[in-house]
């Protein structure tokens, strides 16, 4: 690691509390800790001590811990000063550390040093931030699995298989005198097909982990007065949106966050889609189209008293790649029985948002759409960065498969396998762009 500075930061949230912690890491940490505490510090032992300023005046009394390199979180000497949780006291301790030669840590710099010193890989380091930011128990459990290396192990297993396949291809290219007809013996094609299947499964798991971390974005869309705002209020158990019999009441996108069995969803109620001469309503409709393009799923709400063919025409006019669930609302007025109906790839739920009928079916449907369950068995947390890397890896493998089947081009396949290996290794940080670490660790909190 190039940066040999000793860093320090307050590692606990601002405010008053029973205990606050100032953390140091680096070559001077042990010396600074002994100077402040005036105690002969022993590794991995807690010492009750008084913390002194430059004039030997006592700043605070608390516990000091010393973790000697390399058996520490960062792999360097670490000191933790645990004092009383007052902002003034903590600031005085921090200033004393700075006087003795430390510098303020950047956001995420402790975790970054742990990564650079081989104590964590990149997915584990990211899992620390995800664990801190977890908003649900399920997300926290998945973050712990990633922190313990579940995601990293799956990546390494795939890398090992990819490397073995690549070695087989390149050996056959380099030693043609052995007369190995590697392009037609089926071994390469089968191995490549297996890899593509496994990475496709990983892509699905990573997508689930991304949804659990960030939440699934559900856009409630449809014509005016279909009951979209009533549905938002019913799902959130709150009168978030104004509901009237006048069409076009909703002029802007309303955002609400809910949890279904610990799984996060972001609900967006949008302005009704129709031709309008009202400038404000036109702006609302424009935002509806923008929200639809960002949706993970669309709940298309329609008045169940209207003819179905009209609904299909309206939906077909909306360009979107997001899957759509059809909400036959106002079932209490249309006389339709409360139910969920599956027809091929089309799901229709018959509900009454105003009367709170059929909402349990919708919640179960949304859980299935997320593809998750609260047990999180076998899962891990994932980020959009990971999804991007997995998609690029899969594209390299598919290109190699095409070259093998159509052109029998071993050299092209070998290059695609090499690119796939380097790309997949970006997830754990074996290979990474120069600005990637700054982007990742810059989003951490100070002191972590």
């Amino acid at each position: 690691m190039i940066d040999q500075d000793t860093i320090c930061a307050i590692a606990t949230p601002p405010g008053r509390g029973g205990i606050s912690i100032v953390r140091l890491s680096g070559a001077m940490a042990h010396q600074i800790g002994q100077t402040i505490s005036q105690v002969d510090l022993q590794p991995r032992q807690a010492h009750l001590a008084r913390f002194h300023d430059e004039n030997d005046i006592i700043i605070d009394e608390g516990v000091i811990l010393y973790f000697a390199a390399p058996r520490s979180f960062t792999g360097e000497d670490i000191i933790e000063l645990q004092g009383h949780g007052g902002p003034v006291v903590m600031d005085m301790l921090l200033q004393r550390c700075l006087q003795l030669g430390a510098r303020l840590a950047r956001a995420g710099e402790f975790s970054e040093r742990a990564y650079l010193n081989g104590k964590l890989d990149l997915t584990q380091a990211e899992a620390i931030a995800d664990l801190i930011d977890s908003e649900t128990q399920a997300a926290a459990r998945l973050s712990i699995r990633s922190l313990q290396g579940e995601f990293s192990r799956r990546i390494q297993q795939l890398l090992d298989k990819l490397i073995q396949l690549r070695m087989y291809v390149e050996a056959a290219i380099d030693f043609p005198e052995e007369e190995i007809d590697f392009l037609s013996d089926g071994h390469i094609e089968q191995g490549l097909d297996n890899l593509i299947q496994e990475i496709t499964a990983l892509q699905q798991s990573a997508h689930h982990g991304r949804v659990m971390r960030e939440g699934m974005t559900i856009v409630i869309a449809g014509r005016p007065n279909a009951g979209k705002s009533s549905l938002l209020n019913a799902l959130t158990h709150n009168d978030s949106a104004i509901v009237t019999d006048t069409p076009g009441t909703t002029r802007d996108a309303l955002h609400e966050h809910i949890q279904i069995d610990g799984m996060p969803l972001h609900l967006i109620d949008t302005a009704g889609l129709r031709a309008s001469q009202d400038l404000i309503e036109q702006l609302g409709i424009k935002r509806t189209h923008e929200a639809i393009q960002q949706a993970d799923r669309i709940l298309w709400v329609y008045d169940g008293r209207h003819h179905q063919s009209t609904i299909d025409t309206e939906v077909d006019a909306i360009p979107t790649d997001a899957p759509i669930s059809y909400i036959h609302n106002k079932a209490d007025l249309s006389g339709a029985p409360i139910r969920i109906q599956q027809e091929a790839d089309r799901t229709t739920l018959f509900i009454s948002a105003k009367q709170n009928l059929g909402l349990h079916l919708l919640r179960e449907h949304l859980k299935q759409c997320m593809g998750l369950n609260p047990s999180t068995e076998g899962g891990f947390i994932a980020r959009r960065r990971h999804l991007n890397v997995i998609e690029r890896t899969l594209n390299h493998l598919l290109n190699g498969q095409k070259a093998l089947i159509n052109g029998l081009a071993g050299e092209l396949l070998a290059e695609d396998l090499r690119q796939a290996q380097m790309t997949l290794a970006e997830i754990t940080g074996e290979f990474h762009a120069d600005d990637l670490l700054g982007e990742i660790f810059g989003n951490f909190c100070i002191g972590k």
Side-chain angles (χ1 to χ4, degrees), residues 306-321:
H306 294 171
H307 196 273
Q308 182 65 50
S309 61
T310 303
I311 309 303
D312 292 339
T313 301
E314 293 171 346
V315 174
D316 290 341
I318 304 299
T320 177
D321 295 328

Side-chain angles (χ1 to χ4, degrees), residues 55-66:
N55 298 315
D56 208 27
I57 297 174
I58 296 174
I59 300 173
D60 193 10
E61 183 177 69
V63 173
I64 183 169
L65 296 169
Y66 168 45

Side-chain angles (χ1 to χ4, degrees), residues 26 59 73 81 108 115 134 141 183 192 277 284 302 334 360 382 384 412 414-415 444:
I59 300 173
F73 172 69
L81 302 167
Y115 161 70
S134 295
R141 287 194 292 267
L183 294 176
L192 188 55
Q277 300 301 316
Y302 62 95
S334 69
H360 65 290
R384 292 184 185 272
L412 294 179
E415 175 60 20
F444 279 48

Side-chain angles (χ1 to χ4, degrees), residues 358-401:
L359 270 296
H360 65 290
L361 297 176
L362 178 55
R363 292 188 180 95
E364 287 299 318
H365 174 62
L366 291 177
K367 286 167 58 177
Q368 293 176 7
C369 292
M370 294 181 76
L372 296 166
N373 58 71
S375 69
T376 69
E377 183 177 353
F380 51 84
I381 210 73
R383 297 180 169 208
R384 292 184 185 272
R385 178 183 79 85
H386 304 145
L387 287 170
N388 176 264
V389 168
I390 293 170
E391 182 178 3
R392 288 191 287 120
T393 301
L394 191 57
N395 287 337
H396 286 306
L397 294 178
L398 291 173
N399 287 337
Q401 186 182 55

Side-chain angles (χ1 to χ4, degrees), residues 277-348:
Q277 300 301 316
D278 187 296
L279 178 59
I280 297 177
E281 189 172 1
Q282 289 176 1
L283 292 174
I285 292 172
K286 179 182 178 183
R287 292 193 178 186
T288 296
H289 285 281
E290 291 172 351
I292 284 174
Q293 296 306 314
Q294 301 300 318
D296 292 313
R297 177 163 289 270
I298 297 168
L299 298 183
W300 187 270
V301 183
Y302 62 95
D303 188 330
R305 296 171 294 180
H306 294 171
H307 196 273
Q308 182 65 50
S309 61
T310 303
I311 309 303
D312 292 339
T313 301
E314 293 171 346
V315 174
D316 290 341
I318 304 299
T320 177
D321 295 328
I324 299 175
S325 298
Y326 295 84
I327 309 299
H328 175 116
N329 195 24
K330 305 184 182 182
D332 56 319
L333 300 179
S334 69
I338 302 301
R339 68 190 190 278
I340 182 169
Q341 179 176 300
Q342 300 282 356
E343 296 177 346
D345 58 349
R346 182 191 185 101
T347 301
T348 304

